[in-house]
Amino acid sequence: MLKKALITGITGQDGAYLTKLLLEKGYKVYGLLARRSTATTWRLEALDVFGKIELIEGDLTDVTSIIRAIEIAQPDEFYNLGAQSFVGTSWKQPQLTAQSTGLGALNCLEAIRIVDSKIKFYQASTSEMFGGMPEYPLQSETTPFHPRSPYGVSKLFAHWMTINYRESFDIFGCCGILFNHESPLRGIEFVTRKVTDAVARIKLGVQKDLHLGNIDAKRDWGFAGDYVEAMYLMMQQNHPDTYVIATGRTTTVRDMCKIAFKYVDLEYENYVVIDPQFYRPAEVELLLGNADKAKEKLGWHAKTSLEQLITMMVDEDLRRVAEELR
Ligand code: NDP
Ligand code: GDP
């Protein structure tokens, strides 16, 4: 029988890639679409999936709209990808972050419990919950949490709520603790995309330099297209569980810049300017994930290297900027 999925955050990076994957697998896909004053569907258009899905108006902070969406879609699987997902913004809008990223997940769980507790639930947890504490240089499912931003704290609330609904109400609630994952569809405020966009603009002569904050921070960066496969696989298991999804390689922001600039024959040192406005009140210095459990239980591993990812992003930004200039 045709499987149905409901995705919150469908207009985001992961929402677009997951939609493509589920359509390829024969799913009917529904998405919760938050009301905005301008269109937000460009990523769905970029992956050629807009028009092949059904969008239902609703917001994570309005539980009645989630109940309504579930009643319309009657999904087998519910993927909660919606969030205020940018760490930097979470200090400027901590309450909004708590409401959408934290309480929003609880609203989804409550809606499932009320309407149909058999619906499988995926929660987009994050490596930011670990906080990159120096005593835990490699993070797995058993590493203690120490979030370092309102975003991390909100995600930890959502994470534990999902586990509690699993244990209390027997809801099939999965948590994917995903490390940073990027793509040409990544938001421009995140450091990889900020860098690849700047590289394209500098190469094409329309930008002079690139202002960044802490370039010694280390991240375990993977490709979003690989990571949505892990989400899907978690939901196909017999039992709900928590999995770390990562590449197992960590790189400084500095070295990531090096890769991006080098690809177009430029030296990053000639363009990167350290700008205190991009420093954060608290930094997560080192993220490096151990995804052995996902490999063993889901048969999942990251397929795309950082070099492949960054060159894919630079290529797409070169194309976009060249088009803008025409
Ligand atoms: P994006 O920021 O690209 O997408 C966020 C999505 O959430 C958008 O569709 C946005 O809608 C939607 N949204 C925001 N607020 C609300 C709200 N109040 N009601 C309904 N929808 C809302 O995130 P990603 O795709 O990169 O990430 C997907 C999920 O995974 C997020 O929860 C993120 O926190 C988490 N995550 C991401 C990681 C990463 O490296 N990408 C790592 C670990 C976890 P709109 O377009 O209208 O703004
Ligand atoms: P995060 O891991 O979810 O916070 O993803 P980001 O891509 O926003 O940030 C990754 C790392 O890059 C963090 O340690 C940031 O402090 C660091 N960084 C350095 N300069 C910048 C910048 O200009 N913008 C962003 N977004 N991050 C920066």
Side-chain angles (χ1 to χ4, degrees), residues 53-159:
I53 56 178
E54 210 159 302
L55 295 172
I56 304 166
E57 194 174 318
D59 196 286
L60 283 167
T61 60
D62 181 343
V63 70
T64 61
S65 72
I66 304 172
I67 290 176
R68 193 176 144 266
I70 291 177
E71 282 172 348
I72 294 170
Q74 299 185 5
D76 303 284
E77 297 171 13
F78 185 124
Y79 294 84
N80 182 33
L81 311 186
Q84 189 304 94
S85 71
F86 185 46
V87 170
T89 293
S90 77
W91 279 287
K92 292 168 190 147
Q93 300 187 49
Q95 297 204 3
L96 174 114
T97 304
Q99 277 156 10
S100 55
T101 307
L103 283 171
L106 175 58
N107 285 340
C108 296
L109 287 161
E110 268 297 281
I112 286 176
R113 191 179 67 78
I114 291 165
V115 181
D116 177 4
S117 61
K118 292 280 168 287
I119 297 168
K120 292 180 168 184
F121 180 73
Y122 174 86
Q123 171 57 23
S125 292
T126 167
S127 51
E128 288 291 320
M129 299 184 315
F130 296 125
M133 304 315 284
E135 55 274 40
Y136 303 106
L138 179 65
Q139 299 103 29
S140 72
E141 293 80 4
T142 54
T143 301
F145 297 119
H146 185 139
R148 305 253 297 158
S149 64
Y151 170 75
V153 174
S154 304
K155 279 289 186 184
L156 191 52
F157 172 84
H159 179 79

Side-chain angles (χ1 to χ4, degrees), residues 170 183 259 267:
D170 208 20
S183 73
I259 296 169
E267 298 295 331

Side-chain angles (χ1 to χ4, degrees), residues 11-14 36 59-60 81 83 85 151 155 178 181 186:
T11 56
Q13 170 189 259
D14 292 6
R36 306 285 187 245
D59 196 286
L60 283 167
L81 311 186
S85 71
Y151 170 75
K155 279 289 186 184
L178 271 54
H181 48 280
R186 185 62 144 149

Side-chain angles (χ1 to χ4, degrees), residues 227-288:
Y227 284 38
V228 296
E229 283 179 19
M231 298 177 186
Y232 164 77
L233 287 170
M234 283 176 222
M235 295 284 258
Q236 312 314 309
Q237 303 307 301
N238 290 331
H239 301 287
D241 208 341
T242 298
Y243 299 88
V244 159
I245 301 298
T247 70
R249 168 183 171 191
T250 193
T251 309
T252 57
V253 173
R254 181 193 303 277
D255 286 342
M256 182 270 293
C257 286
K258 223 181 258 181
I259 296 169
F261 278 90
K262 195 124 213 110
Y263 181 55
V264 295
D265 298 321
L266 298 175
E267 298 295 331
Y268 85 98
E269 294 95 329
N270 297 334
Y271 302 96
V272 170
V273 177
I274 301 303
D275 186 338
Q277 73 163 298
F278 296 109
Y279 276 91
R280 294 174 170 180
E283 180 60 278
V284 171
E285 294 289 352
L286 165 66
L287 292 178
L288 173 61

